[in-house]
Amino acid sequence: MDFFSDFSMTIDGAAARTVRQMDVVNPATGTPFSTAPVAEADDLDRAVAAARDALPRWSAFDIDARRAALIALGDAIDAECDNFTRLFVAEQGRPAPMARHEIMISAQWLRDVAAQELPVQIVEDSPERRVEVHRMPIGVVAAIVPWNLPVMLSIWKIAPALLAGNTMVLKPSPYTPLCALKLGELSRDILPPGVLNIISGEDALGPMMTAHPGFHKISFTGSTATGKRVMEAAGRDLKRVTLELGGNDAAIVLPDVNIEEVAPQLFFSAFFNSAQACIATKRLYIHEQIYDELRDRLHAIAKDTVVGDGAQPGVEYGPLQNAAQFSRVRALVDDARAHQLTLLEGRPVPEQGFFVPITLVDNPPETSAVVAEEAFGPVLPLLKFKDIDDVIARANDSDYGLGGSVWSSDIALATRIAARLNTGTVWINSSLECGAHIPFAGAKQSGIGIENSEAGLLEFTQSKTILIRKRAPAPL
Ligand code: NAD
């Protein structure tokens, strides 16, 4: 397989080519380096037809055969880890060691999900009757993923959906289609035709998928604004939805932390992937007793941190992934400047490409755009607090409710604070950690439904109750 050219879609287990191609841009240079197919409506129709055709056979497979296929796909990804890493850096921008990490985690995720069970629940087993709850596949799943973690978020959908016996049509973001297309190519030798179809396209393809009557479920990860459109479209024929959407996560740092120890962890929690992570720390609340010291420590780290082309050795953080995001984040910085907020910048960044310096904003008003909006870029507001009730209220004062974290050596106190945060996940003395066995969900406008864990697996199933009458009911 040539990993760096000849990108084709996978439909019905075979390469599918299109008349039109779209440019794929390397964010470190801002210039196109490759092209990807642009699917039209008839390509989508063929992918859906293939997935529908494969569904009865795949769902009738023994679950152990489906497990084996997922494990084989994980092994195939591992075997191509170097190639995937190079391609990932070129299209997504992340420095190579962190890109490699996403590839390796994704391969392992397939193995971890393969080990999960689809339970049959016995809710009653009395002399009169036995009531069992079984889990059926939902059918054909439309998977739509964003550009920030393009491989891992695809696997979060592929692995449980296929284990549960569904078939799928997956669409990567138009900004990062290439690794997903190669994943499709790898799968052709492993999965039966039609089980996993991977198609790429421009902005029009997502809405075409959500409107397509051939799907039974949409599993979507992306922004809250798009999530609302997806749900509206799904409502027309009652497709099931799982929506993993945006966040504006608060980290709350209590005065008893070891500043030297937590500063690098907080920095990473905010700036991993150049802050393009749904669960990145996007508002950092620091107790007033340690505010100045921690702010200065974070600024010192920013001044030491190398931001550049992820393909170069020694680079720690990459560019923003695309021109639109670059403009958005620069507009937030301009807005902060226009409001005379104090900006503490990190090292200078390359001029070419979509680079923004790591920027801390020193105690801006809660109402400023940089606090209220999901930046999704390396601009982090540091906010001072002194009262715990007040900081909890400020952290919860958001339409988002994805994640959040509490940092303290007093675990009992941190746990009490965690209980009062209205989010799908709270980390204590940690952040960003996820696992195939750990439920991941968004509260409020950060999502609907759950990914990962048994609960996430069950979202790819339809509940089916079987009631067995053992003894005729007594006459009334
Ligand atoms: P986006 O919503 O613009 O796009 C996501 C995907 O949806 C892309 O594949 C896009 O082509 C497709 N799409 C766009 N319009 C559509 C429509 N009308 N119907 C169907 N599909 C459509 O998001 P993005 O900019 O790619 O990603 C960044 C956002 O994703 C951030 O808000 C981030 O917080 C969020 N995100 C959430 C999670 C999570 O698990 N909660 C994980 C990663 C990213």
Side-chain angles (χ1 to χ4, degrees):
M1 181 194 298
D2 177 357
F3 234 84
F4 301 95
S5 61
D6 192 24
F7 293 98
S8 56
M9 306 190 298
T10 298
I11 297 179
D12 206 10
R17 305 191 186 278
T18 56
V19 177
R20 284 200 305 129
Q21 300 281 309
M22 60 188 180
D23 284 338
V24 182
V25 170
N26 180 334
T29 61
T31 53
F33 73 100
S34 190
T35 58
V38 176
E40 311 288 352
D42 58 334
D43 298 303
L44 173 61
D45 286 343
R46 282 195 305 120
V48 175
R52 288 182 80 96
D53 188 51
L55 181 65
R57 285 187 301 282
W58 179 246
S59 58
F61 261 44
D62 186 79
I63 190 165
D64 286 337
R66 299 201 297 260
R67 291 186 209 286
L70 295 184
I71 292 167
L73 190 57
D75 292 347
I77 293 173
D78 268 342
E80 293 289 358
C81 189
D82 289 346
N83 284 329
F84 266 120
T85 300
R86 271 181 58 203
L87 190 60
F88 191 112
V89 173
E91 71 171 337
Q92 204 277 341
R94 197 181 309 161
M98 291 199 226
R100 174 178 293 278
H101 187 243
E102 177 161 335
I103 305 303
M104 289 167 57
I105 286 190
S106 301
Q108 184 55 39
W109 209 276
L110 281 154
R111 293 188 275 267
D112 290 347
V113 172
Q116 292 179 350
E117 296 295 338
L118 269 178
V120 176
Q121 218 188 339
I122 315 296
V123 293
E124 182 181 331
D125 197 9
S126 62
E128 285 76 31
R129 57 191 194 169
R130 178 178 166 91
V131 185
E132 302 175 347
V133 182
H134 292 249
R135 292 288 173 168
M136 313 298 295
I138 290 185
V140 179
V141 178
I144 301 178
V145 289
W147 43 261
N148 60 334
L149 295 104
V151 177
M152 195 179 85
L153 295 176
S154 299
I155 297 296
W156 279 21
K157 302 185 185 310
I158 293 169
L162 267 49
L163 181 68
N166 303 281
T167 58
M168 176 174 275
V169 179
L170 180 138
K171 183 195 91 63
S173 165
Y175 295 117
T176 51
L178 301 181
C179 283
L181 292 169
K182 286 295 162 189
L183 182 65
E185 206 173 321
L186 278 188
S187 76
R188 289 174 206 162
D189 292 336
I190 296 169
L191 296 167
V195 170
L196 177 62
N197 305 274
I198 298 198
I199 59 175
S200 54
E202 294 168 333
D203 290 348
L205 185 56
M208 272 197 264
M209 287 174 74
T210 55
H212 200 292
F215 288 112
H216 303 100
K217 169 167 178 121
I218 303 168
S219 178
F220 171 83
T221 303
S223 63
T224 294
T226 309
K228 290 176 184 177
R229 288 194 278 276
V230 169
M231 187 147 177
E232 226 176 277
R236 284 174 221 147
D237 41 15
L238 291 183
K239 294 181 183 92
R240 280 29 176 184
V241 289
T242 300
L243 305 175
E244 293 292 354
L245 308 177
N248 197 8
D249 291 11
I252 298 175
V253 189
L254 301 186
D256 61 359
V257 294
N258 176 331
I259 291 179
E260 276 307 300
E261 217 173 83
V262 302
Q265 297 179 57
L266 288 166
F267 191 87
F268 186 74
S269 83
F271 296 114
F272 160 71
N273 200 26
S274 298
Q276 302 164 116
C278 52
I279 47 173
T281 294
K282 294 176 183 139
R283 297 175 288 156
L284 180 50
Y285 290 96
I286 306 172
H287 193 275
E288 61 175 13
Q289 276 172 28
I290 56 163
Y291 181 90
D292 288 359
E293 194 183 343
L294 182 53
R295 175 199 60 203
D296 294 348
R297 187 72 206 104
L298 292 168
H299 191 200
I301 297 174
K303 286 193 282 194
D304 266 357
T305 297
V306 182
V307 178
D309 181 343
Q312 301 299 318
V315 166
E316 294 165 278
Y317 292 89
L320 290 171
Q321 199 283 322
N322 58 70
Q325 193 59 20
F326 178 58
S327 307
R328 211 187 100 63
V329 174
R330 288 217 307 193
L332 267 183
V333 176
D334 290 345
D335 176 83
R337 278 214 180 86
H339 286 85
Q340 271 125 41
L341 304 181
T342 306
L343 304 184
L344 308 171
E345 272 192 15
R347 267 165 96 117
V349 295
E351 279 179 14
Q352 206 200 353
F354 304 141
F355 292 99
V356 171
I358 290 179
T359 304
L360 306 172
V361 188
D362 189 5
N363 203 26
E366 203 76 26
T367 51
S368 50
V370 74
V371 182
E373 291 177 23
E374 178 187 37
F376 225 63
V379 186
L380 177 70
L382 311 182
L383 301 138
K384 213 182 271 191
F385 76 92
K386 69 174 171 206
D387 176 75
I388 285 185
D389 288 339
D390 169 60
V391 77
I392 291 172
R394 288 159 72 188
N396 281 336
D397 185 17
S398 169
D399 288 337
Y400 293 114
L402 191 56
S405 58
V406 186
W407 301 75
S408 171
S409 50
D410 183 343
I411 301 299
L413 173 60
T415 307
R416 286 199 298 279
I417 295 173
R420 294 173 61 192
L421 293 177
N422 190 1
T423 62
T425 303
V426 183
W427 291 268
I428 294 178
N429 296 327
S430 179
S431 67
L432 303 175
E433 287 186 61
C434 296
H437 60 300
I438 301 174
F440 183 79
K444 298 190 270 183
Q445 294 192 22
S446 285
I448 289 187
I450 297 176
E451 283 200 298
N452 308 331
S453 75
E454 183 180 290
L457 178 61
L458 296 186
E459 294 233 348
F460 287 104
T461 66
Q462 168 63 50
S463 173
K464 176 164 156 186
T465 302
I466 299 184
L467 190 152
I468 306 156
R469 167 67 54 192
K470 295 181 183 172
R471 208 156 63 190
L476 288 175

